[in-house]
Amino acid sequence: MSDDLDIRSGGLVAVDPESLRAAAERYERAGGDLARIEDLVRSVVMLLGGIAPVASSGFVPDSGYTASALANRTDAASAAARSLAERLRFAAAVYEIVELRTTAGFDGSAGAARQAEISARISALSGAYPWAGALATMREGGWRVAWPIDLAVQGIGAWPVHALAGGAPFMPAATLALGLGVAAAGAGTIPSGARLTPASTHARVTALAPPAPAAAPASLAEVAARIPGGSSSARVRVERYTMADGSRQFAVYVAGTQAIAAGSRDPFDMTSNVELYTGKESASYEATVKALQRAGAEPGDVVHAFGHSQGAMITAHLALEGGYDTSTLVSFGSPVEADVGAETLSVSLRHTDDPVAFLEGGGNPQGVGGPGSFVAERLADPALGPHDVTLPAHGIAGYTETARMLDASADPRMAPVRELFDQLGAAASVDVVEYSATRVATGFSASGGGEG
């Protein structure tokens, strides 16, 4: 496992320019304080120069030279602090230009007035820092080319398997080409106004025996551990929180792909993957919506959505069009990234060597979601070998480990996540139910018997 965890605001926009400017101001103040200290020390040097005979007699040995050296060091520290402040301001200009350019190209709803405002701001920054625009361009180009590299390298490890089909020599190059194509087409990003087209198949959900624990998760690792799937027949888990004031909140955990075959009885299959990725409503999406409804969630209720792989595609669309107040969206290894609004805390965990997360195409170049939203990435399985064909970087176990690393991180962007767990942990009561899901023929209508 790699311990290098990269936490940033978005795919390309990694640093908040205002945080750099704030740091620059602190260094500028420190430089000014040091300059004033230097003036005081210089005054001491002059004073000591006036009593040189006393110093030479041995009463104040070498003090003039010591004070002068201190003044010189203070002057150097002051200059270094001011120089660092200027470099931070330059870096802020570069990052802001990147952010403005991605906003201009990404937000089609900005309108002519906003586009003109963006253009004027970029011109002002470029005028103040002539090289900032060129460095911003280099950063943009580097991100677009570099993000698929880790997966292409991992493809080398699967050569012994792919060589049987004669495709090994071309695999890394093909991976890079595919990744750049996905990014160029924007296939892995979902605009805020996107809506799924009607389903061609439907789903039935069945409540299972109440699982344990009936308590709020205390960490991202616990969230990952609660995502259904594997040996369990559960596909969707819903937790209903009754708060101390009588209000309700819900948490939904949605499984990833469980059946490789297309058109299986399990709606969490490859058919649903293709449908969701191409903008069609899947039976697995319908199953998730029905599970929330069966658990008592109503339009406008607060929902915290957690999903892995296909489940993350489902929760992304749920946040955009489900009709709930989706205040939290956490995805593990999602093949898409949704442009959720400022009311949603968006946290995306993805591995750079995960071929499913690779389908995001690098995600949105700028950050999505509300304040505190972030993307956390790492290389999960750096060892090369035939085992790479089993996609070790995509499994929920690897993402649970990444979640543990985030839980232990001192990064301030984890504060809203911890606040969420504290909030849910204060609930007066918690009710939990899990649901299995079955694909049914078109035209099926929900009936009694505890199914829907």
Side-chain angles (χ1 to χ4, degrees):
M1 293 291 181
S2 171
D3 290 334
D4 295 327
L5 186 62
D6 180 18
I7 305 173
R8 60 184 189 277
S9 300
L12 175 57
V13 181
V15 177
D16 176 16
E18 292 309 314
S19 67
L20 293 178
R21 293 191 178 101
E25 287 301 316
R26 290 194 292 271
Y27 277 105
E28 188 70 42
R29 288 196 298 270
D33 291 342
L34 288 168
R36 286 187 287 275
I37 292 172
E38 180 202 353
D39 290 341
L40 291 174
V41 175
R42 295 287 183 199
S43 299
V44 172
V45 170
M46 293 178 63
L47 177 62
L48 291 175
I51 57 172
V54 176
S56 62
S57 69
F59 290 103
V60 191
D62 211 23
S63 56
Y65 298 105
T66 302
S68 180
L70 176 60
N72 291 337
R73 288 196 297 270
T74 305
D75 177 55
S78 174
R82 286 170 164 166
S83 175
L84 179 55
E86 187 59 24
R87 291 199 298 272
L88 285 169
R89 291 191 185 97
F90 178 81
V94 172
Y95 279 107
E96 186 175 356
I97 290 173
V98 170
E99 185 172 327
L100 290 168
R101 285 177 179 172
T102 55
T103 298
F106 176 72
D107 187 359
S109 64
R114 176 58 178 154
Q115 295 288 350
E117 181 183 332
I118 289 172
S119 179
R121 178 59 178 166
I122 290 176
S123 295
L125 290 168
S126 298
Y129 302 95
W131 286 100
L135 286 178
T137 300
M138 292 173 61
R139 178 165 178 78
E140 291 163 353
W143 173 74
R144 295 187 184 282
V145 172
W147 73 265
I149 291 294
D150 281 344
L151 185 63
V153 171
Q154 290 302 99
I156 297 172
W159 274 20
V161 176
H162 289 279
L164 298 175
F170 310 103
M171 188 174 175
T175 300
L176 284 173
L178 174 61
L180 296 175
V182 169
T189 56
I190 308 175
S192 59
R195 296 296 180 266
L196 294 169
T197 57
S200 58
T201 59
H202 297 278
R204 177 178 63 231
V205 296
T206 303
L208 304 174
S219 66
L220 279 176
E222 286 188 22
V223 164
R226 294 185 185 193
I227 291 179
S231 59
S232 169
S233 60
R235 296 293 177 264
V236 183
R237 174 188 175 106
V238 182
E239 296 171 352
R240 183 177 63 204
Y241 297 86
T242 301
M243 311 307 290
D245 61 0
S247 63
R248 300 184 311 172
Q249 297 187 28
F250 294 83
V252 60
Y253 306 77
V254 188
T257 303
Q258 302 298 310
I260 299 300
S264 70
R265 290 277 288 169
D266 191 329
F268 287 77
D269 63 356
M270 292 306 295
T271 294
S272 290
N273 273 328
V274 173
E275 287 173 340
L276 289 165
Y277 195 72
T278 56
K280 300 179 179 65
E281 184 179 318
S282 67
S284 57
Y285 178 83
E286 184 181 273
T288 302
V289 172
K290 284 187 173 182
L292 274 166
Q293 293 171 344
R294 288 278 309 280
E298 298 177 354
D301 279 342
V302 173
V303 170
H304 309 283
F306 310 103
H308 171 239
S309 190
Q310 182 179 147
M313 277 200 289
I314 292 168
T315 54
H317 284 286
L318 188 73
L320 291 178
E321 59 184 290
Y324 300 106
D325 177 7
T326 307
S327 62
T328 310
L329 179 65
V330 178
S331 64
F332 302 89
S334 178
V336 298
E337 184 177 56
D339 179 21
V340 293
E343 68 282 357
T344 300
L345 174 66
S346 174
V347 176
S348 177
L349 282 69
R350 56 197 189 207
H351 296 153
T352 56
D353 50 341
D354 177 356
V356 176
F358 170 85
L359 294 173
E360 273 193 18
N364 292 297
Q366 65 177 21
V368 299
S373 297
F374 64 88
V375 174
E377 283 187 347
R378 73 180 180 105
L379 177 63
D381 182 47
L384 301 181
H387 73 286
D388 287 326
V389 77
T390 65
L391 313 184
H394 182 60
I396 192 61
Y399 279 105
T400 302
E401 179 60 28
T402 303
R404 288 194 188 98
M405 294 169 66
L406 273 172
D407 290 330
S409 171
D411 192 291
R413 282 166 289 198
M414 274 295 290
V417 178
R418 295 187 175 105
E419 289 169 6
L420 167 65
F421 297 142
D422 290 342
Q423 174 191 343
L424 296 181
S429 64
V430 183
D431 298 295
V432 185
V433 62
E434 289 185 344
Y435 297 90
S436 63
T438 306
R439 178 181 272 111
V440 296
T442 301
F444 170 84
S445 60
S447 59
E451 298 180 345

